[in-house]
Amino acid sequence: MIHKHTEPMLSIQGLKKDFPVRGRRRSRGSKAMIKAVNGVDLFINEGETLGLVGESGCGKTTVGRLILRLIEPTKGALFFRGQDISSLLGSELFTYRQQVQIIFQDPFSSLNPRMCIGNAISEPLISHRLMGKEKARERAIELLSFMGLPEQYYYRYPHEFSGGQRQRIGIARALALQPKLIVADEPVSALDVSIQAQVINLMEEIREKFGITYLFISHDLGVVRHISDRVAVMYLGKIVESAETEELFEKPMHPYTEALLSAVPVSHPRLRKERLLLKGDVPSLLNPPSGCTFHPRCPKRIDRCEREIPRIEEVSPHHVVACHLTKGQ
């Protein structure tokens, strides 16, 4: 288990999610399975932002969907404020979803094109029976105003807005139920760089004003460094390293983290830094490598990496790594 001093808002223990592959079976007749999430341990403290990073297909979004209970885990436990939410049903699950909301990657496809944006924001309040229609309308107008959108936009439709405005609408909808935790799934990757900065600053302002806790899922390490208190790095369904943001960026311990950070562009055109290039492609989740799943691409691998799965160990306060090259392995 990862070391922590206080009871976290969200705790994930041994989380796994397998997806069956249609039409494919193994030699003994059992279905072939994609191990999208393969034994993840994570925690998020109240009021902090945890950045979850990794290449496309590593399982980041699946972790977010499992937290939201949009899909069911194959194995493992999820605790929200000490309560096991992996088995919640009916009204208890409905109540939990009031406290945990999502900001989607694509703000256009996440909004109903036939529903005006005011109704999109007020609908959760009415569905959860927190307010009547008039009060919900007032709350939606209030949220739109906080997002920098005037009241007259209430009856406009998603196609009438820019990408940045649509994402602000998506954030307003996520805030409507006054959640405690928001899963932000690549919330700025579909936006222009100048708009990205505005949305990130808005999210930070929201955290300060409303006391929101974020799971910030992204592949953009520059954005993650700006907004996150801690960062967890995923590779092929597993957490390979986690640390406080500045320590991870200044002292990465896992070769995969080093490779990701070496690909981040430098801010000055005359500055140069050495790239750590990875060989080969990301292995198939249908047939992951033995031992450390990163070893086929790792420039520092040793023989042990091919045989043994590395344990995740604390190498310094709040800094954990799963690598045979670190002390204690």
Side-chain angles (χ1 to χ4, degrees):
M1 279 299 298
I2 297 172
H3 177 75
K4 50 188 178 294
H5 292 294
T6 58
E7 184 68 26
M9 172 180 281
L10 180 78
S11 178
I12 299 171
Q13 300 173 4
L15 193 64
K16 294 187 177 184
K17 180 60 183 178
D18 300 340
F19 292 101
V21 181
R22 293 181 181 178
R24 294 193 63 170
R25 293 184 176 272
R26 299 193 183 278
S27 56
R28 295 183 180 180
S30 60
K31 284 187 177 181
M33 306 294 285
I34 290 177
K35 297 183 180 299
V37 177
N38 192 14
V40 165
D41 288 352
L42 272 181
F43 69 93
I44 309 176
N45 292 316
E46 189 156 356
E48 78 171 352
T49 297
L50 174 68
L52 186 59
V53 303
E55 292 171 289
S56 296
C58 72
K60 306 186 300 296
T61 295
T62 303
V63 169
R65 293 171 69 194
L66 287 165
I67 290 170
L68 291 154
R69 286 289 306 277
L70 295 177
I71 55 176
E72 300 302 316
T74 303
K75 192 176 180 181
L78 297 97
F79 294 91
F80 182 78
R81 292 187 162 176
Q83 180 185 20
D84 186 355
I85 59 97
S86 53
S87 57
L88 293 182
L89 295 171
S91 60
E92 290 183 328
L93 180 58
F94 195 66
T95 301
Y96 168 70
R97 284 179 171 158
Q98 181 181 329
Q99 301 179 74
V100 182
Q101 290 289 301
I102 185 170
I103 300 170
F104 293 96
Q105 178 177 2
D106 184 353
F108 186 67
S109 62
S110 67
L111 293 168
N112 186 339
R114 297 185 178 183
M115 181 181 287
C116 71
I117 58 111
N119 288 344
I121 296 169
S122 61
E123 184 186 39
L125 293 165
I126 298 167
S127 298
H128 283 262
R129 298 177 181 177
L130 298 177
M131 295 180 183
K133 287 186 177 181
E134 188 55 38
K135 285 289 185 182
R137 181 181 181 278
E138 291 175 8
R139 173 65 174 160
I141 291 171
E142 180 185 328
L143 286 168
L144 284 173
S145 176
F146 186 78
M147 299 297 146
L149 301 173
E151 180 179 347
Q152 57 264 34
Y153 285 8
Y154 185 98
Y155 291 107
R156 293 190 181 182
Y157 289 83
H159 71 272
E160 299 180 75
F161 296 92
S162 67
Q165 288 174 324
R166 282 194 288 263
Q167 194 59 293
R168 288 170 181 266
I169 294 162
I171 294 170
R173 182 178 58 180
L175 283 175
L177 295 175
Q178 297 181 308
K180 302 301 181 185
L181 173 67
I182 291 180
V183 176
D185 186 10
E186 301 272 10
V188 297
S189 63
L191 307 177
D192 293 339
V193 174
S194 59
I195 306 301
Q196 284 184 10
Q198 294 175 22
V199 172
I200 290 298
N201 290 336
L202 175 63
M203 290 181 66
E204 289 188 314
E205 185 180 349
I206 287 167
R207 181 170 73 161
E208 292 296 323
K209 182 170 182 177
F210 298 105
I212 298 294
T213 301
Y214 289 119
L215 173 63
F216 191 90
I217 299 169
S218 181
H219 65 274
D220 189 329
L221 290 167
V223 171
V224 167
R225 185 173 192 174
H226 179 76
I227 197 171
S228 301
D229 299 300
R230 289 188 300 115
V231 179
V233 182
M234 279 193 80
Y235 183 78
L236 229 62
K238 296 182 178 183
I239 302 295
V240 296
E241 185 166 8
S242 177
E244 292 180 355
T245 302
E246 287 309 309
E247 176 157 351
L248 184 123
F249 276 80
E250 296 298 329
K251 299 178 182 178
M253 301 290 289
H254 197 283
Y256 178 62
T257 308
E258 292 176 353
L260 288 180
L261 295 180
S262 74
V264 177
V266 293
S267 58
H268 196 283
R270 293 186 179 180
L271 293 178
R272 296 287 185 270
K273 65 177 179 179
E274 185 179 352
R275 284 288 305 274
L276 181 60
L277 298 176
L278 300 178
K279 297 180 180 179
D281 298 321
V282 178
S284 170
L285 286 167
L286 270 172
N287 188 26
S290 60
C292 174
T293 53
F294 184 60
H295 85 257
R297 305 174 71 197
C298 182
K300 300 180 179 181
R301 66 180 179 270
I302 56 177
D303 291 342
R304 185 184 178 190
C305 300
E306 300 179 27
R307 303 188 305 269
E308 297 180 31
I309 299 172
R311 303 184 308 273
I312 192 156
E313 298 282 350
E314 189 171 61
V315 293
S316 64
H318 314 297
H319 192 161
V320 296
V321 185
C323 181
H324 290 306
L325 300 176
T326 57
K327 295 178 181 179
Q329 293 284 348

